[in-house]
Each structure stands twice: as C-alpha cells, then as structure tokens.
CSV table of all heavy atoms in Angstrom, one decimal:
chain,number,residue,atom,x,y,z
B,831,MET,N,49.3,8.9,128.9
B,831,MET,CA,48.3,9.0,127.8
B,831,MET,C,47.2,8.0,128.1
B,831,MET,O,47.4,6.9,128.4
B,831,MET,CB,49.0,8.7,126.5
B,831,MET,CG,48.0,8.7,125.4
B,831,MET,SD,48.6,7.7,123.9
B,831,MET,CE,50.3,8.2,123.8
B,832,ARG,N,46.0,8.4,127.9
B,832,ARG,CA,44.8,7.5,128.1
B,832,ARG,C,44.7,6.7,126.8
B,832,ARG,O,44.5,7.3,125.7
B,832,ARG,CB,43.6,8.4,128.3
B,832,ARG,CG,42.9,8.1,129.6
B,832,ARG,CD,41.6,8.9,129.7
B,832,ARG,NE,40.7,8.7,128.6
B,832,ARG,CZ,40.2,9.7,127.9
B,832,ARG,NH1,40.6,11.0,128.1
B,832,ARG,NH2,39.4,9.5,126.9
B,833,MET,N,44.9,5.4,126.9
B,833,MET,CA,44.9,4.5,125.8
B,833,MET,C,43.5,4.4,125.1
B,833,MET,O,43.5,4.1,123.9
B,833,MET,CB,45.4,3.1,126.1
B,833,MET,CG,46.9,3.1,126.5
B,833,MET,SD,48.0,3.6,125.2
B,833,MET,CE,48.0,2.1,124.2
B,834,THR,N,42.5,4.8,125.8
B,834,THR,CA,41.1,4.7,125.2
B,834,THR,C,40.8,5.9,124.4
B,834,THR,O,39.8,6.0,123.7
B,834,THR,CB,40.1,4.5,126.3
B,834,THR,OG1,40.2,5.6,127.3
B,834,THR,CG2,40.2,3.2,127.0
B,835,LYS,N,41.8,6.9,124.5
B,835,LYS,CA,41.6,8.2,123.7
B,835,LYS,C,41.6,7.8,122.2
B,835,LYS,O,42.3,7.0,121.7
B,835,LYS,CB,42.7,9.1,124.0
B,835,LYS,CG,42.6,10.5,123.5
B,835,LYS,CD,43.7,11.4,124.0
B,835,LYS,CE,43.7,12.7,123.2
B,835,LYS,NZ,45.0,13.3,123.1
B,836,LYS,N,40.7,8.5,121.5
B,836,LYS,CA,40.5,8.3,120.1
B,836,LYS,C,41.8,8.9,119.3
B,836,LYS,O,42.2,10.0,119.6
B,836,LYS,CB,39.3,9.0,119.6
B,836,LYS,CG,38.8,8.7,118.2
B,836,LYS,CD,38.2,7.3,118.1
B,836,LYS,CE,37.0,7.1,118.9
B,836,LYS,NZ,35.8,7.9,118.4
B,837,PHE,N,42.3,8.1,118.4
B,837,PHE,CA,43.4,8.6,117.6
B,837,PHE,C,42.9,9.1,116.2
B,837,PHE,O,43.2,10.1,115.7
B,837,PHE,CB,44.5,7.5,117.4
B,837,PHE,CG,45.5,7.9,116.5
B,837,PHE,CD1,46.5,8.8,116.8
B,837,PHE,CD2,45.5,7.5,115.1
B,837,PHE,CE1,47.5,9.3,115.9
B,837,PHE,CE2,46.5,7.9,114.2
B,837,PHE,CZ,47.5,8.8,114.6
B,838,CYS,N,42.1,8.2,115.6
B,838,CYS,CA,41.6,8.5,114.3
B,838,CYS,C,40.1,8.6,114.3
B,838,CYS,O,39.4,7.5,114.5
B,838,CYS,CB,42.1,7.4,113.3
B,838,CYS,SG,41.4,7.6,111.6
B,839,ASN,N,39.5,9.7,114.2
B,839,ASN,CA,38.1,9.9,114.2
B,839,ASN,C,37.4,9.3,113.0
B,839,ASN,O,36.3,8.7,113.2
B,839,ASN,CB,37.7,11.4,114.3
B,839,ASN,CG,38.0,11.9,115.7
B,839,ASN,OD1,37.7,11.3,116.7
B,839,ASN,ND2,38.6,13.1,115.8
B,840,CYS,N,38.0,9.4,111.9
B,840,CYS,CA,37.4,8.9,110.7
B,840,CYS,C,37.1,7.4,110.8
B,840,CYS,O,36.0,6.9,110.4
B,840,CYS,CB,38.2,9.1,109.5
B,840,CYS,SG,38.3,10.8,109.0
B,841,ARG,N,38.0,6.6,111.3
B,841,ARG,CA,37.9,5.2,111.4
B,841,ARG,C,37.7,4.6,112.8
B,841,ARG,O,37.8,3.4,113.0
B,841,ARG,CB,39.2,4.5,110.8
B,841,ARG,CG,39.4,4.9,109.3
B,841,ARG,CD,38.3,4.5,108.4
B,841,ARG,NE,38.7,4.7,107.0
B,841,ARG,CZ,37.8,5.3,106.2
B,841,ARG,NH1,36.6,5.5,106.5
B,841,ARG,NH2,38.2,5.5,104.9
B,842,ASP,N,37.4,5.6,113.7
B,842,ASP,CA,37.1,5.2,115.1
B,842,ASP,C,38.2,4.3,115.7
B,842,ASP,O,37.9,3.2,116.3
B,842,ASP,CB,35.8,4.4,115.1
B,842,ASP,CG,35.2,4.4,116.5
B,842,ASP,OD1,35.5,5.3,117.3
B,842,ASP,OD2,34.4,3.5,116.8
B,843,VAL,N,39.5,4.7,115.6
B,843,VAL,CA,40.6,4.0,116.1
B,843,VAL,C,41.2,4.7,117.3
B,843,VAL,O,41.5,5.9,117.3
B,843,VAL,CB,41.7,3.9,115.0
B,843,VAL,CG1,42.9,3.1,115.5
B,843,VAL,CG2,41.1,3.2,113.8
B,844,THR,N,41.4,3.9,118.4
B,844,THR,CA,42.0,4.4,119.6
B,844,THR,C,43.5,4.1,119.7
B,844,THR,O,44.0,3.3,118.9
B,844,THR,CB,41.3,3.8,120.9
B,844,THR,OG1,41.6,2.4,120.9
B,844,THR,CG2,39.8,4.0,120.9
B,845,TYR,N,44.2,4.8,120.6
B,845,TYR,CA,45.6,4.5,120.8
B,845,TYR,C,45.7,3.0,121.2
B,845,TYR,O,46.7,2.3,120.8
B,845,TYR,CB,46.2,5.4,121.9
B,845,TYR,CG,46.4,6.8,121.4
B,845,TYR,CD1,45.4,7.7,121.4
B,845,TYR,CD2,47.6,7.1,120.9
B,845,TYR,CE1,45.6,9.0,121.0
B,845,TYR,CE2,47.9,8.4,120.4
B,845,TYR,CZ,46.8,9.4,120.5
B,845,TYR,OH,47.0,10.6,120.0
B,846,ALA,N,44.8,2.5,122.0
B,846,ALA,CA,44.8,1.1,122.4
B,846,ALA,C,44.7,0.1,121.2
B,846,ALA,O,45.4,-0.9,121.1
B,846,ALA,CB,43.7,0.8,123.4
B,847,ASP,N,43.9,0.5,120.2
B,847,ASP,CA,43.8,-0.2,118.9
B,847,ASP,C,45.1,-0.3,118.2
B,847,ASP,O,45.5,-1.3,117.7
B,847,ASP,CB,42.7,0.4,118.0
B,847,ASP,CG,41.3,0.3,118.6
B,847,ASP,OD1,41.0,-0.7,119.3
B,847,ASP,OD2,40.5,1.2,118.3
B,848,ILE,N,45.8,0.8,118.2
B,848,ILE,CA,47.1,0.9,117.5
B,848,ILE,C,48.1,0.0,118.2
B,848,ILE,O,48.8,-0.8,117.6
B,848,ILE,CB,47.7,2.3,117.5
B,848,ILE,CG1,46.8,3.2,116.6
B,848,ILE,CG2,49.1,2.4,117.0
B,848,ILE,CD1,47.1,4.7,116.6
B,849,MET,N,48.1,0.0,119.6
B,849,MET,CA,49.0,-0.8,120.3
B,849,MET,C,48.7,-2.3,120.1
B,849,MET,O,49.6,-3.1,120.0
B,849,MET,CB,49.0,-0.5,121.8
B,849,MET,CG,49.9,-1.2,122.7
B,849,MET,SD,51.7,-1.2,122.2
B,849,MET,CE,52.3,0.0,123.4
B,850,ALA,N,47.4,-2.6,120.1
B,850,ALA,CA,47.0,-4.0,119.9
B,850,ALA,C,47.4,-4.5,118.5
B,850,ALA,O,47.9,-5.6,118.4
B,850,ALA,CB,45.5,-4.1,120.0
B,851,ALA,N,47.3,-3.7,117.5
B,851,ALA,CA,47.8,-4.1,116.2
B,851,ALA,C,49.3,-4.3,116.2
B,851,ALA,O,49.8,-5.3,115.5
B,851,ALA,CB,47.4,-3.0,115.2
B,852,MET,N,50.0,-3.5,116.9
B,852,MET,CA,51.5,-3.7,117.0
B,852,MET,C,51.8,-4.9,117.8
B,852,MET,O,52.8,-5.6,117.4
B,852,MET,CB,52.1,-2.4,117.5
B,852,MET,CG,52.0,-1.2,116.6
B,852,MET,SD,52.8,0.3,117.1
B,852,MET,CE,54.5,-0.2,116.9
B,853,ARG,N,51.1,-5.2,118.8
B,853,ARG,CA,51.4,-6.4,119.6
B,853,ARG,C,51.1,-7.6,118.7
B,853,ARG,O,51.6,-8.7,118.9
B,853,ARG,CB,50.5,-6.5,120.9
B,853,ARG,CG,51.0,-5.6,122.0
B,853,ARG,CD,50.2,-5.8,123.3
B,853,ARG,NE,50.5,-4.8,124.2
B,853,ARG,CZ,51.6,-4.7,125.0
B,853,ARG,NH1,52.6,-5.6,124.8
B,853,ARG,NH2,51.7,-3.7,125.8
B,854,ALA,N,50.2,-7.5,117.8
B,854,ALA,CA,49.8,-8.6,116.9
B,854,ALA,C,50.7,-8.7,115.7
B,854,ALA,O,50.6,-9.5,114.8
B,854,ALA,CB,48.4,-8.4,116.4
B,855,GLY,N,51.7,-7.8,115.6
B,855,GLY,CA,52.8,-7.9,114.6
B,855,GLY,C,52.9,-6.8,113.6
B,855,GLY,O,53.9,-6.7,112.9
B,856,ALA,N,52.0,-5.8,113.6
B,856,ALA,CA,52.2,-4.6,112.8
B,856,ALA,C,53.4,-3.8,113.2
B,856,ALA,O,53.5,-3.5,114.4
B,856,ALA,CB,51.0,-3.8,112.8
B,857,ALA,N,54.4,-3.5,112.3
B,857,ALA,CA,55.6,-2.9,112.8
B,857,ALA,C,55.8,-1.5,112.2
B,857,ALA,O,56.7,-0.8,112.6
B,857,ALA,CB,56.8,-3.8,112.4
B,858,THR,N,55.0,-1.2,111.2
B,858,THR,CA,55.2,0.1,110.5
B,858,THR,C,53.8,0.9,110.5
B,858,THR,O,52.8,0.2,110.7
B,858,THR,CB,55.7,0.0,109.1
B,858,THR,OG1,54.6,-0.7,108.3
B,858,THR,CG2,56.9,-0.8,109.0
B,859,ALA,N,53.9,2.2,110.2
B,859,ALA,CA,52.6,2.9,110.2
B,859,ALA,C,51.7,2.4,109.1
B,859,ALA,O,50.5,2.3,109.2
B,859,ALA,CB,52.9,4.4,109.9
B,860,GLU,N,52.3,1.9,108.0
B,860,GLU,CA,51.5,1.3,106.9
B,860,GLU,C,50.8,0.1,107.3
B,860,GLU,O,49.7,-0.2,107.0
B,860,GLU,CB,52.5,1.0,105.7
B,860,GLU,CG,53.0,2.2,104.9
B,860,GLU,CD,54.0,3.1,105.7
B,860,GLU,OE1,54.7,2.5,106.6
B,860,GLU,OE2,54.1,4.2,105.4
B,861,GLU,N,51.6,-0.8,108.1
B,861,GLU,CA,51.0,-2.0,108.6
B,861,GLU,C,49.9,-1.8,109.6
B,861,GLU,O,48.8,-2.4,109.6
B,861,GLU,CB,52.0,-2.9,109.1
B,861,GLU,CG,52.9,-3.5,108.1
B,861,GLU,CD,54.2,-4.2,108.6
B,861,GLU,OE1,54.4,-4.3,109.8
B,861,GLU,OE2,54.9,-4.7,107.8
B,862,VAL,N,50.1,-0.8,110.5
B,862,VAL,CA,49.1,-0.4,111.5
B,862,VAL,C,47.8,0.2,110.7
B,862,VAL,O,46.7,-0.1,111.1
B,862,VAL,CB,49.6,0.6,112.5
B,862,VAL,CG1,48.5,1.2,113.3
B,862,VAL,CG2,50.7,0.0,113.4
B,863,SER,N,48.1,1.0,109.7
B,863,SER,CA,47.0,1.5,108.9
B,863,SER,C,46.2,0.4,108.3
B,863,SER,O,45.0,0.5,108.3
B,863,SER,CB,47.6,2.5,107.9
B,863,SER,OG,46.7,3.2,107.3
B,864,ALA,N,46.9,-0.5,107.7
B,864,ALA,CA,46.2,-1.7,107.0
B,864,ALA,C,45.4,-2.5,108.0
B,864,ALA,O,44.3,-2.9,107.7
B,864,ALA,CB,47.2,-2.5,106.3
B,865,ALA,N,45.9,-2.6,109.2
B,865,ALA,CA,45.3,-3.5,110.3
B,865,ALA,C,44.1,-2.8,110.9
B,865,ALA,O,43.1,-3.4,111.3
B,865,ALA,CB,46.3,-3.9,111.3
B,866,THR,N,44.2,-1.5,111.1
B,866,THR,CA,43.1,-0.7,111.9
B,866,THR,C,42.3,0.2,111.0
B,866,THR,O,41.2,0.6,111.4
B,866,THR,CB,43.8,0.1,113.0
B,866,THR,OG1,44.6,1.1,112.4
B,866,THR,CG2,44.6,-0.7,113.9
B,867,GLY,N,42.8,0.6,109.9
B,867,GLY,CA,42.1,1.6,109.1
B,867,GLY,C,42.6,3.0,109.4
B,867,GLY,O,42.2,4.0,108.7
B,868,ALA,N,43.4,3.2,110.5
B,868,ALA,CA,43.8,4.5,110.9
B,868,ALA,C,44.5,5.2,109.7
B,868,ALA,O,45.3,4.6,109.1
B,868,ALA,CB,44.8,4.4,112.1
B,869,GLY,N,44.1,6.4,109.5
B,869,GLY,CA,44.8,7.2,108.5
B,869,GLY,C,44.2,7.0,107.1
B,869,GLY,O,44.7,7.7,106.1
B,870,THR,N,43.2,6.2,106.9
B,870,THR,CA,42.6,5.9,105.6
B,870,THR,C,41.4,6.7,105.3
B,870,THR,O,40.7,6.4,104.3
B,870,THR,CB,42.4,4.4,105.4
B,870,THR,OG1,41.4,4.0,106.4
B,870,THR,CG2,43.6,3.6,105.6
B,871,GLY,N,41.0,7.7,106.1
B,871,GLY,CA,39.9,8.5,105.9
B,871,GLY,C,40.3,9.8,105.3
B,871,GLY,O,40.8,9.9,104.1
B,872,CYS,N,40.2,10.9,106.1
B,872,CYS,CA,40.6,12.2,105.6
B,872,CYS,C,42.1,12.4,105.5
B,872,CYS,O,42.5,13.3,104.8
B,872,CYS,CB,40.0,13.3,106.5
B,872,CYS,SG,40.8,13.3,108.2
B,873,GLY,N,42.8,11.5,106.2
B,873,GLY,CA,44.3,11.6,106.1
B,873,GLY,C,44.9,12.5,107.1
B,873,GLY,O,46.2,12.6,107.2
B,874,ARG,N,44.1,13.3,107.9
B,874,ARG,CA,44.7,14.3,108.8
B,874,ARG,C,45.5,13.6,109.9
B,874,ARG,O,46.5,14.3,110.3
B,874,ARG,CB,43.5,15.0,109.4
B,874,ARG,CG,43.8,16.3,110.1
B,874,ARG,CD,42.6,16.9,110.7
B,874,ARG,NE,42.0,16.0,111.7
B,874,ARG,CZ,40.7,15.9,111.8
B,874,ARG,NH1,39.9,16.6,111.1
B,874,ARG,NH2,40.2,15.1,112.7
B,875,CYS,N,45.3,12.4,110.2
B,875,CYS,CA,46.0,11.8,111.3
B,875,CYS,C,47.2,11.0,110.8
B,875,CYS,O,48.0,10.4,111.6
B,875,CYS,CB,45.1,10.9,112.2
B,875,CYS,SG,44.6,9.4,111.3
B,876,ARG,N,47.4,10.9,109.5
B,876,ARG,CA,48.4,10.0,108.9
B,876,ARG,C,49.8,10.3,109.3
B,876,ARG,O,50.6,9.4,109.6
B,876,ARG,CB,48.2,10.0,107.4
B,876,ARG,CG,49.1,9.1,106.6
B,876,ARG,CD,49.0,7.7,107.1
B,876,ARG,NE,50.0,6.8,106.6
B,876,ARG,CZ,51.2,6.7,107.1
B,876,ARG,NH1,51.5,7.4,108.2
B,876,ARG,NH2,52.1,5.9,106.6
B,877,GLU,N,50.1,11.6,109.4
B,877,GLU,CA,51.5,12.0,109.8
B,877,GLU,C,51.7,11.7,111.2
B,877,GLU,O,52.8,11.2,111.6
B,877,GLU,CB,51.7,13.5,109.5
B,877,GLU,CG,53.2,13.8,109.5
B,877,GLU,CD,53.4,15.3,109.1
B,877,GLU,OE1,52.6,15.8,108.2
B,877,GLU,OE2,54.3,15.9,109.7
B,878,ALA,N,50.7,11.9,112.1
B,878,ALA,CA,50.9,11.6,113.5
B,878,ALA,C,51.0,10.1,113.8
B,878,ALA,O,51.7,9.7,114.7
B,878,ALA,CB,49.6,12.2,114.3
B,879,LEU,N,50.5,9.3,112.9
B,879,LEU,CA,50.6,7.9,113.0
B,879,LEU,C,52.0,7.4,113.0
B,879,LEU,O,52.4,6.5,113.8
B,879,LEU,CB,49.8,7.2,111.9
B,879,LEU,CG,49.7,5.6,112.0
B,879,LEU,CD1,49.0,5.2,113.4
B,879,LEU,CD2,48.9,5.1,110.9
B,880,ASP,N,52.8,8.1,112.2
B,880,ASP,CA,54.3,7.7,112.1
B,880,ASP,C,54.9,7.9,113.5
B,880,ASP,O,55.7,7.1,114.0
B,880,ASP,CB,55.0,8.7,111.1
B,880,ASP,CG,54.7,8.3,109.7
B,880,ASP,OD1,54.3,7.2,109.4
B,880,ASP,OD2,54.8,9.3,108.9
B,881,PHE,N,54.6,9.0,114.2
B,881,PHE,CA,55.2,9.3,115.5
B,881,PHE,C,54.7,8.3,116.6
B,881,PHE,O,55.4,7.8,117.4
B,881,PHE,CB,54.9,10.7,115.9
B,881,PHE,CG,55.6,11.7,115.0
B,881,PHE,CD1,54.8,12.4,114.1
B,881,PHE,CD2,56.9,12.0,115.2
B,881,PHE,CE1,55.5,13.3,113.2
B,881,PHE,CE2,57.6,12.9,114.3
B,881,PHE,CZ,56.8,13.6,113.4
B,882,VAL,N,53.4,8.1,116.5
B,882,VAL,CA,52.8,7.1,117.5
B,882,VAL,C,53.4,5.7,117.4
B,882,VAL,O,53.8,5.1,118.3
B,882,VAL,CB,51.2,7.1,117.4
B,882,VAL,CG1,50.6,6.0,118.3
B,882,VAL,CG2,50.6,8.5,117.8
B,883,VAL,N,53.5,5.3,116.1
B,883,VAL,CA,54.0,3.9,115.9
B,883,VAL,C,55.5,3.9,116.3
B,883,VAL,O,55.9,2.9,117.0
B,883,VAL,CB,53.9,3.6,114.4
B,883,VAL,CG1,54.8,2.3,114.0
B,883,VAL,CG2,52.4,3.3,114.0
B,884,ARG,N,56.2,5.0,116.1
B,884,ARG,CA,57.6,5.0,116.5
B,884,ARG,C,57.7,4.9,118.1
B,884,ARG,O,58.5,4.2,118.6
B,884,ARG,CB,58.3,6.3,116.0
B,884,ARG,CG,59.8,6.1,115.8
B,884,ARG,CD,60.3,7.3,115.1
B,884,ARG,NE,59.7,7.5,113.8
B,884,ARG,CZ,59.6,8.7,113.2
B,884,ARG,NH1,60.1,9.8,113.7
B,884,ARG,NH2,58.9,8.8,112.0
B,885,ASP,N,56.9,5.7,118.8
B,885,ASP,CA,56.8,5.7,120.2
B,885,ASP,C,56.4,4.4,120.8
B,885,ASP,O,57.1,3.9,121.7
B,885,ASP,CB,55.8,6.7,120.7
B,885,ASP,CG,56.4,8.1,120.9
B,885,ASP,OD1,57.6,8.3,120.4
B,885,ASP,OD2,55.7,9.0,121.4
B,886,PHE,N,55.4,3.8,120.2
B,886,PHE,CA,54.9,2.5,120.7
B,886,PHE,C,56.0,1.4,120.4
B,886,PHE,O,56.1,0.5,121.2
B,886,PHE,CB,53.6,2.1,120.1
B,886,PHE,CG,52.4,2.9,120.7
B,886,PHE,CD1,51.1,2.6,120.2
B,886,PHE,CD2,52.6,3.8,121.7
B,886,PHE,CE1,50.0,3.3,120.8
B,886,PHE,CE2,51.5,4.5,122.3
B,886,PHE,CZ,50.2,4.2,121.8
B,887,ALA,N,56.6,1.5,119.3
B,887,ALA,CA,57.7,0.5,119.0
B,887,ALA,C,58.8,0.5,120.0
B,887,ALA,O,59.3,-0.5,120.5
B,887,ALA,CB,58.2,0.7,117.6
B,888,GLU,N,59.1,1.8,120.5
B,888,GLU,CA,60.1,2.0,121.5
B,888,GLU,C,59.6,1.3,122.8
B,888,GLU,O,60.4,0.7,123.5
B,888,GLU,CB,60.3,3.5,121.7
B,888,GLU,CG,61.6,3.8,122.4
B,888,GLU,CD,62.8,3.3,121.8
B,888,GLU,OE1,62.9,3.4,120.5
B,888,GLU,OE2,63.7,2.8,122.5
B,889,GLU,N,58.3,1.6,123.2
B,889,GLU,CA,57.8,1.0,124.4
B,889,GLU,C,57.8,-0.5,124.3
B,889,GLU,O,58.1,-1.1,125.3
B,889,GLU,CB,56.3,1.4,124.5
B,889,GLU,CG,56.1,2.7,125.4
B,889,GLU,CD,54.6,3.0,125.6
B,889,GLU,OE1,53.9,2.1,125.9
B,889,GLU,OE2,54.3,4.1,125.3
B,890,LEU,N,57.4,-1.1,123.2
B,890,LEU,CA,57.4,-2.5,123.1
B,890,LEU,C,58.8,-3.1,123.2
B,890,LEU,O,59.0,-4.2,123.8
B,890,LEU,CB,56.7,-2.9,121.8
B,890,LEU,CG,55.2,-2.7,121.7
B,890,LEU,CD1,54.7,-3.0,120.3
B,890,LEU,CD2,54.5,-3.6,122.8
B,891,ARG,N,59.8,-2.4,122.6
B,891,ARG,CA,61.1,-2.8,122.7
B,891,ARG,C,61.6,-2.8,124.1
B,891,ARG,O,62.2,-3.8,124.6
B,891,ARG,CB,62.0,-1.9,121.8
B,891,ARG,CG,63.1,-2.7,121.1
B,891,ARG,CD,64.0,-1.8,120.2
B,891,ARG,NE,63.6,-0.5,119.9
B,891,ARG,CZ,62.9,-0.1,118.8
B,891,ARG,NH1,62.6,-1.0,117.9
B,891,ARG,NH2,62.5,1.1,118.6
B,892,ALA,N,61.3,-1.7,124.8
B,892,ALA,CA,61.7,-1.6,126.2
B,892,ALA,C,61.1,-2.7,127.1
B,892,ALA,O,61.7,-3.3,128.0
B,892,ALA,CB,61.3,-0.2,126.8
B,893,GLU,N,59.8,-3.0,126.8
B,893,GLU,CA,59.0,-4.0,127.5
B,893,GLU,C,59.7,-5.4,127.3
B,893,GLU,O,59.9,-6.1,128.2
B,893,GLU,CB,57.6,-4.1,126.9
B,893,GLU,CG,56.5,-4.4,127.8
B,893,GLU,CD,55.2,-4.4,127.1
B,893,GLU,OE1,54.8,-5.4,126.5
B,893,GLU,OE2,54.6,-3.3,127.2
B,894,ARG,N,60.0,-5.6,126.0
B,894,ARG,CA,60.7,-6.9,125.7
B,894,ARG,C,62.1,-7.0,126.4
B,894,ARG,O,62.4,-8.1,126.8
B,894,ARG,CB,60.9,-7.1,124.2
B,894,ARG,CG,59.8,-7.8,123.5
B,894,ARG,CD,60.2,-8.3,122.1
B,894,ARG,NE,60.7,-7.2,121.3
B,894,ARG,CZ,60.0,-6.4,120.6
B,894,ARG,NH1,58.7,-6.5,120.5
B,894,ARG,NH2,60.6,-5.4,119.9
B,895,ASP,N,62.8,-5.9,126.4
B,895,ASP,CA,64.1,-6.0,127.0
B,895,ASP,C,64.1,-5.9,128.5
B,895,ASP,O,65.1,-5.9,129.1
B,895,ASP,CB,65.0,-4.8,126.4
B,895,ASP,CG,65.2,-4.8,124.9
B,895,ASP,OD1,64.9,-5.9,124.4
B,895,ASP,OD2,65.6,-3.8,124.4
B,896,GLY,N,62.9,-5.7,129.0
B,896,GLY,CA,62.8,-5.5,130.5
B,896,GLY,C,63.4,-4.3,131.0
B,896,GLY,O,63.9,-4.2,132.1
B,897,SER,N,63.5,-3.3,130.2
B,897,SER,CA,64.2,-2.0,130.6
B,897,SER,C,63.2,-0.9,130.8
B,897,SER,O,63.4,0.2,130.5
B,897,SER,CB,65.2,-1.6,129.5
B,897,SER,OG,64.5,-1.5,128.2
B,898,LEU,N,62.1,-1.2,131.5
B,898,LEU,CA,61.1,-0.2,131.8
B,898,LEU,C,61.5,0.5,133.1
B,898,LEU,O,60.8,1.4,133.6
B,898,LEU,CB,59.7,-0.8,132.0
B,898,LEU,CG,59.0,-1.2,130.7
B,898,LEU,CD1,57.7,-1.9,130.9
B,898,LEU,CD2,58.8,0.0,129.8
B,899,GLY,N,62.6,0.1,133.7
B,899,GLY,CA,63.0,0.7,135.0
B,899,GLY,C,62.2,0.3,136.2
B,899,GLY,O,62.1,1.0,137.2
B,900,LEU,N,61.5,-0.8,136.1
B,900,LEU,CA,60.7,-1.3,137.2
B,900,LEU,C,61.5,-2.0,138.2
B,900,LEU,O,62.5,-2.6,137.9
B,900,LEU,CB,59.5,-2.2,136.7
B,900,LEU,CG,58.6,-1.6,135.7
B,900,LEU,CD1,57.6,-2.6,135.2
B,900,LEU,CD2,57.8,-0.4,136.3
N,1032,FES,S1,41.2,11.3,111.4
N,1032,FES,FE1,42.3,9.6,110.7
N,1032,FES,S2,41.9,9.5,108.6
N,1032,FES,FE2,40.7,11.2,109.3
C-alpha cells in the first residue's frame, strides 16, 4: 500500500498520517480520529478506519516483536 495515499478526503488524512498518529501513541480508531481528524467529516471513512487501525496495530506489534520475517 502506498502510505502517501489519501485515506480521508474530508480531513486530508493519508495512511502515513494514521501510522504516525499510532506511532505517537494513538491505539484505537477513536484516538486516531481525535489526533488526525480522520472520520470526522462526512463519516464515510469511519468504518474503514477501524480496519486500518487494526491492521496497523498488528504491523506495529510485529515490528516491536521483531517478527517481520526479515
Ligand atoms: S472521507 Fe473521511 S470523514 Fe469524509
């Protein structure tokens, strides 16, 4: 996935912005939403945010555990 790809058009939030918010400590979709504004416009991306946050949390966990298979 291209991290520079736009996730939330209403608030101009990219996938990279979501990951940055999570690296800074946001752990739930609500916290990412509060930090970035994602999902606070039309609401169309709000449900997808749950999935993206879950995926990124898994990535960050794997990164921390050193289990990226590198
Ligand atoms: S596209 Fe994210 S709130 Fe509208």
Side-chain angles (χ1 to χ4, degrees):
M831 174 203 319
R832 243 181 52 235
M833 292 296 280
T834 53
K835 190 175 166 206
K836 192 73 64 69
F837 173 78
C838 175
N839 284 318
C840 289
R841 301 300 186 221
D842 198 25
V843 178
T844 64
Y845 285 86
D847 294 328
I848 294 172
M849 183 55 102
M852 293 183 71
R853 285 189 192 284
T858 65
E860 288 72 22
E861 289 171 359
V862 169
S863 192
T866 64
T870 61
C872 70
R874 195 180 57 219
C875 68
R876 183 56 191 81
E877 198 176 321
L879 187 58
D880 289 332
F881 293 103
V882 171
V883 166
R884 208 170 304 152
D885 273 8
F886 283 180
E888 194 63 40
E889 265 184 52
L890 289 173
R891 216 179 349 265
E893 211 177 87
R894 266 198 310 272
D895 297 348
S897 57
L898 286 176
L900 301 176

